[in-house]
Amino acid sequence: MPETIPVDSVGLVTPITLHIDTPITLECGRTLPNYDLIYETYGELNANASNAILICHALSGDHHAAGYHSMDDKKPGWWDSAIGPGKAIDTNKFYVVSVNNLGGCKGSTGPTSINPETNKAYGPDFPFVTVSDWVNSQAVLADKLNIQQWAAVVGGSLGAMQAMQWAISLPERLRHVLIIASAPKLSAQNIAFNEVARTAIKSDPDFHNGHYTEHNTLPRQGLGLARMLGHITYLSDEAMGQKFGRELRNDTIHYDYDVEFQIESYLRYQSSTFVERFDANTYLLMTKALDYFDPAKDFNDDLAATVANIQARSLVVSFTSDWRFSPARSQEIVDALLSAGKDVIYAEIEAHQGHDAFLMPIPRYIDIIETYMQQVAKECEDV
Amino acid sequence: MPETIPVDSVGLVTPITLHIDTPITLECGRTLPNYDLIYETYGELNANASNAILICHALSGDHHAAGYHSMDDKKPGWWDSAIGPGKAIDTNKFYVVSVNNLGGCKGSTGPTSINPETNKAYGPDFPFVTVSDWVNSQAVLADKLNIQQWAAVVGGSLGAMQAMQWAISLPERLRHVLIIASAPKLSAQNIAFNEVARTAIKSDPDFHNGHYTEHNTLPRQGLGLARMLGHITYLSDEAMGQKFGRELRNDTIHYDYDVEFQIESYLRYQSSTFVERFDANTYLLMTKALDYFDPAKDFNDDLAATVANIQARSLVVSFTSDWRFSPARSQEIVDALLSAGKDVIYAEIEAHQGHDAFLMPIPRYIDIIETYMQQVAKECEDV
């Protein structure tokens, strides 16, 4: 926990829960009669509402992107390294909005929320949600905040997919899109890993077909397995080797199934902490949203055609050691944008941290975002 | 199943179970008072017993490396593409011995065998086995077959680790070693995947701490998960994409958790068939043997020092798309052999099949083995 709040932090923040009383029809065909969106904001909206930035979270993320909820917090928001006064996404210049997506488990309507039609938690009956659904709900939030047009929509991984969808679906509502550590759609290998994760969760007898809350239990082992697996895919082979190598936790090999290698210890710790803070039904929904994301499917798999009508300018960033969404995947996005005659800046960042690099304060990465956002800030004055 | 046995096949083969009545003390400190080894042989041992080849199997492999057990077999042995009359490992020239390792579940003493001390199956109480233990037991088999020196010891993946260990531990007992798709030790990422697999198996309530047989059940879901995960690591991202892409099994997305993408279908099929033919306790033991393999640990992590006393000449083979044991890992082996002044031939094979490539009849790969083995065959006459 912070002894004192760092000077370049947004400081103590209080999330806001907005209740939206109008229905939203989802791509799967089902409708939510009303719903909540929990969000945080950092900075101030300027007079002509031209300096708003939307932050979209990834698979296991949420609305708490920066700052602290209380002095007891062990860590700040997940992107505190990039968002704050004087930081790359400068809250002295921008009004930054960070929202928890539908289907989430941190305050927006999701599986843990009460279904008004049954008065019980949605649980496994919460509808499937897609990236497009999230964009539509985020647009409703923007309307409520009187933000007609975002200066930029920013996200990493699944968050970047939302940013891409914004540019494709609501072209006039944003001027810039930052697409970080992402892909135009998942590969078969990506889907395969998600399928293993889902199978692990659903195989856990404590999952009870998603009704674990009613059984007063949690699918700890299944969700823990899913998280362990996810973790392996977020880290690079190299970084794992450097961090853990084949270091044993004890001096010698014990010939048992207890934790012997430090990497095992790390994975077990990561999985045990995760299951206490993340909902399993949410996890399933998020992986399906990832699997379904494929904007080019409506354009004959032609990604250039898909982005033909975007108006936003793009910054695309990839990381060398990211093997989940490799630089080659970002290159597909860049190539499509170039083919469609769109403005795009592309940076491949030298990094050893794997997919997780997009969360890290890597100097060249932060510089690039900062430089790009300075240009975005200048334009806000001209809007 | 074969309508007729192909002419270049070893044909119908009958495994032999050898009962060894002398104890074997394992690295973990425990002793097996006696044990069985099931094995197959193809070809004929020559007069001076100089043409014997040992085939070592990998994680989920066994003694049945070539030929057919009966006309009802759907497939031949796992390396039928390389072993047979006129094939790369030519059974017209060599006496090929293929053995199931201790701890296995196909006839050699393992968790499913009766423990003579308790008259019940060993189950989870079967001792941990290491690559060195396997080499020692294989040496006992060689003695029984009156084979003082192998012309070559050959293996892929975990099988290659046994081959390496033969060269290191019993230098005078082999003239050549073929080290295919392997590594001098597992990386942290490798161990991490094994840990997830083990956790999946042990989390399955049907596992019953390894006593599933006594409970008349099998840990199908846990072992199925482990196999799905293994499968992803054995295939290359590219090959998965080419084979499955994002092909849907049905025409449209259904928004449910049933199989939607073909890759999911494939993984579910692979896992369901595996659990019916492979023992979970064995699977755990095999992954631990993999994790423990690290011959250089006894030599201050100096691999060149580790191989300093080998007498065998080496062929090392890697596959470009193998991300489980990448070409860089084979290069470590090659570098160590060269530093130690040993004869080594190295080939990196262009292949899209990932780690599984070592089982495939890839032309350049088969050619290289064939050419090398022709040289081995020539020398047999001179021994």
Side-chain angles (χ1 to χ4, degrees):
Chain A
M1 71 200 85
E3 295 259 332
T4 58
I5 302 282
V7 290
D8 64 350
S9 169
V10 297
L12 289 171
V13 299
T14 307
I16 299 161
T17 301
L18 177 68
H19 182 74
I20 295 159
D21 232 343
T22 50
I24 182 167
T25 299
L26 307 168
E27 269 199 287
C28 68
R30 287 176 58 185
T31 299
L32 294 175
N34 52 63
Y35 54 102
D36 289 346
L37 289 177
I38 191 170
Y39 66 99
E40 293 179 358
T41 74
Y42 326 108
E44 302 290 334
L45 189 62
N46 62 7
N48 58 355
S50 67
N51 70 338
I53 309 291
L54 176 64
I55 305 292
C56 303
H57 68 77
L59 169 62
S60 60
D62 56 39
H63 56 296
H64 184 46
Y68 300 84
H69 285 155
S70 82
M71 298 302 294
D72 296 328
D73 286 4
K74 294 192 184 113
K75 304 188 298 181
W78 56 268
W79 216 12
D80 193 78
S81 57
I83 301 171
K87 287 183 177 169
I89 300 176
D90 190 346
T91 53
N92 285 332
K93 298 180 185 166
F94 296 111
Y95 179 60
V96 182
V97 180
S98 173
V99 60
N100 183 214
N101 282 323
L102 287 175
C105 55
K106 298 292 179 174
S108 291
T109 301
T112 58
S113 310
I114 298 298
N115 182 345
E117 290 169 5
T118 66
N119 253 340
K120 295 193 325 182
Y122 281 99
D125 302 320
F126 194 83
F128 283 83
V129 283
T130 65
V131 166
S132 286
D133 294 333
W134 289 336
V135 169
N136 290 339
S137 63
Q138 292 158 3
V140 171
L141 175 63
D143 292 342
K144 301 284 183 192
L145 296 176
N146 293 314
I147 296 164
Q148 175 47 32
Q149 187 184 61
W150 299 102
V153 178
V154 187
S157 198
L158 178 55
M161 293 174 184
Q162 293 157 59
M164 279 186 267
Q165 194 68 57
W166 262 100
I168 291 165
S169 300
L170 300 169
E172 71 291 350
R173 296 202 68 170
L174 65 160
R175 298 194 296 279
H176 292 269
V177 62
L178 277 67
I179 301 164
I180 305 168
S182 199
K185 64 188 177 189
L186 263 63
S187 66
Q189 188 188 70
N190 294 145
I191 294 173
F193 277 125
N194 281 348
E195 176 64 4
V196 174
R198 284 190 291 268
T199 306
I201 290 169
K202 293 190 288 175
S203 299
D204 187 331
D206 283 340
F207 180 68
H208 295 289
N209 292 317
H211 294 284
Y212 40 91
T213 310
E214 293 169 55
H215 287 78
N216 273 319
T217 185
L218 290 174
R220 283 187 174 83
Q221 289 185 325
L223 187 56
L225 262 173
R227 180 65 167 177
M228 282 173 79
L229 184 57
H231 235 88
I232 299 173
T233 66
Y234 306 156
L235 301 179
S236 71
D237 194 3
E238 181 195 343
M240 277 189 131
Q242 282 175 2
K243 188 165 176 174
F244 305 106
R246 292 176 58 86
E247 293 307 309
L248 299 173
R249 281 189 77 241
N250 308 301
D251 289 330
T252 55
I253 284 171
H254 282 192
Y255 295 105
D256 63 35
Y257 287 116
D258 209 350
V259 160
E260 292 207 75
F261 294 97
Q262 291 219 15
I263 179 60
E264 294 170 317
S265 178
Y266 173 80
L267 288 179
R268 289 190 193 190
Y269 170 75
Q270 287 291 340
S271 67
S272 67
T273 54
F274 185 71
V275 302
E276 301 304 326
R277 66 176 181 85
F278 207 88
D279 180 65
N281 284 319
T282 286
Y283 198 92
L284 294 175
L285 291 173
M286 297 292 138
T287 61
K288 290 298 280 184
L290 274 161
D291 290 356
Y292 288 143
F293 178 75
D294 185 8
K297 72 180 181 303
D298 301 325
F299 293 86
N300 248 330
D301 289 331
D302 183 339
L303 194 60
T306 310
V307 299
N309 292 331
I310 77 165
Q311 297 174 23
R313 282 148 65 191
S314 306
L315 172 67
V316 179
V317 181
S318 70
F319 299 90
T320 48
S321 58
D322 184 345
W323 61 277
R324 185 184 182 208
F325 298 140
S326 66
R329 304 314 311 284
S330 285
Q331 195 68 61
E332 292 171 36
I333 299 168
V334 172
D335 289 350
L337 290 165
L338 290 174
S339 292
K342 305 298 173 185
D343 285 338
V344 55
I345 294 178
Y346 175 50
E348 181 179 317
I349 308 289
E350 195 70 46
H352 65 268
Q353 296 96 327
H355 183 61
D356 261 3
F358 86 91
L359 299 163
M360 309 281 172
I362 299 164
R364 178 162 176 255
Y365 168 48
I366 295 296
D367 278 353
I368 280 167
I369 297 180
E370 184 168 329
T371 306
Y372 194 87
M373 293 306 289
Q374 280 167 350
Q375 188 57 42
V376 173
K378 275 215 188 76
E379 293 168 8
C380 294
E381 300 156 24
D382 307 331
V383 168
Chain B
M1 72 199 84
E3 298 258 332
T4 58
I5 303 283
V7 290
D8 63 351
S9 169
V10 298
L12 289 171
V13 298
T14 306
I16 299 161
T17 301
L18 177 67
H19 182 73
I20 295 159
D21 232 342
T22 50
I24 182 167
T25 299
L26 308 167
E27 268 199 287
C28 69
R30 286 177 58 186
T31 299
L32 294 175
N34 52 61
Y35 54 102
D36 289 346
L37 290 176
I38 193 171
Y39 65 100
E40 293 179 359
T41 72
Y42 327 108
E44 303 291 334
L45 189 62
N46 62 7
N48 57 356
S50 66
N51 71 337
I53 308 292
L54 176 64
I55 305 293
C56 302
H57 69 75
L59 169 63
S60 59
D62 56 39
H63 57 296
H64 184 46
Y68 300 84
H69 286 155
S70 81
M71 297 302 293
D72 296 329
D73 287 4
K74 294 192 182 109
K75 307 188 298 184
W78 56 269
W79 218 11
D80 194 76
S81 57
I83 302 171
K87 288 183 177 169
I89 300 176
D90 190 346
T91 54
N92 286 332
K93 297 180 184 168
F94 297 110
Y95 178 61
V96 182
V97 179
S98 172
V99 60
N100 182 214
N101 281 323
L102 288 175
C105 54
K106 300 291 180 175
S108 291
T109 302
T112 58
S113 311
I114 299 298
N115 180 346
E117 291 170 3
T118 65
N119 254 341
K120 295 191 328 180
Y122 280 99
D125 302 320
F126 193 83
F128 282 83
V129 283
T130 64
V131 166
S132 285
D133 294 333
W134 290 335
V135 168
N136 291 339
S137 63
Q138 292 158 4
V140 170
L141 175 63
D143 292 342
K144 300 285 184 191
L145 295 176
N146 293 313
I147 295 164
Q148 176 48 33
Q149 187 183 62
W150 299 102
V153 178
V154 187
S157 197
L158 178 54
M161 292 175 184
Q162 293 158 59
M164 280 187 268
Q165 196 65 60
W166 262 99
I168 292 165
S169 300
L170 300 169
E172 70 291 349
R173 295 201 68 169
L174 64 160
R175 298 192 296 280
H176 292 270
V177 62
L178 277 67
I179 300 163
I180 304 167
S182 199
K185 63 187 177 189
L186 264 61
S187 65
Q189 189 189 69
N190 294 144
I191 294 173
F193 278 124
N194 282 349
E195 177 62 4
V196 174
R198 283 190 293 267
T199 305
I201 291 168
K202 293 191 287 172
S203 299
D204 188 332
D206 284 340
F207 180 67
H208 294 288
N209 291 318
H211 294 285
Y212 42 90
T213 311
E214 292 168 58
H215 288 78
N216 273 320
T217 186
L218 290 175
R220 284 187 173 82
Q221 289 187 325
L223 186 55
L225 263 173
R227 180 64 167 178
M228 282 174 78
L229 185 58
H231 235 88
I232 300 175
T233 65
Y234 305 156
L235 301 178
S236 70
D237 193 4
E238 182 195 343
M240 277 191 132
Q242 283 176 2
K243 188 166 177 171
F244 304 107
R246 292 175 57 87
E247 293 308 310
L248 300 173
R249 281 188 78 241
N250 307 300
D251 290 331
T252 55
I253 283 171
H254 283 194
Y255 295 106
D256 61 35
Y257 287 114
D258 208 351
V259 160
E260 293 209 74
F261 293 97
Q262 289 218 16
I263 178 61
E264 293 169 317
S265 178
Y266 174 78
L267 288 179
R268 288 190 193 190
Y269 169 74
Q270 288 291 340
S271 67
S272 66
T273 54
F274 185 70
V275 302
E276 301 304 327
R277 67 176 180 83
F278 207 88
D279 180 65
N281 285 319
T282 286
Y283 198 93
L284 295 175
L285 291 173
M286 297 292 139
T287 61
K288 290 298 279 183
L290 274 161
D291 291 356
Y292 287 142
F293 178 75
D294 184 9
K297 73 181 181 300
D298 301 324
F299 293 85
N300 248 331
D301 290 332
D302 183 338
L303 194 60
T306 309
V307 300
N309 291 331
I310 77 166
Q311 297 173 22
R313 282 148 65 190
S314 306
L315 172 67
V316 179
V317 181
S318 69
F319 299 89
T320 49
S321 59
D322 185 345
W323 62 278
R324 186 183 183 210
F325 297 141
S326 67
R329 304 312 312 285
S330 285
Q331 194 70 61
E332 292 171 37
I333 299 167
V334 172
D335 289 351
L337 289 165
L338 289 174
S339 293
K342 305 299 171 185
D343 285 338
V344 54
I345 294 177
Y346 175 50
E348 181 178 316
I349 308 291
E350 195 71 45
H352 67 267
Q353 295 95 328
H355 182 61
D356 261 2
F358 85 92
L359 298 163
M360 309 281 171
I362 298 165
R364 179 163 174 252
Y365 168 47
I366 296 296
D367 278 351
I368 281 167
I369 297 181
E370 184 167 329
T371 305
Y372 193 88
M373 292 306 289
Q374 280 167 351
Q375 187 57 40
V376 173
K378 272 216 190 78
E379 293 168 9
C380 293
E381 302 155 22
D382 307 331
V383 168

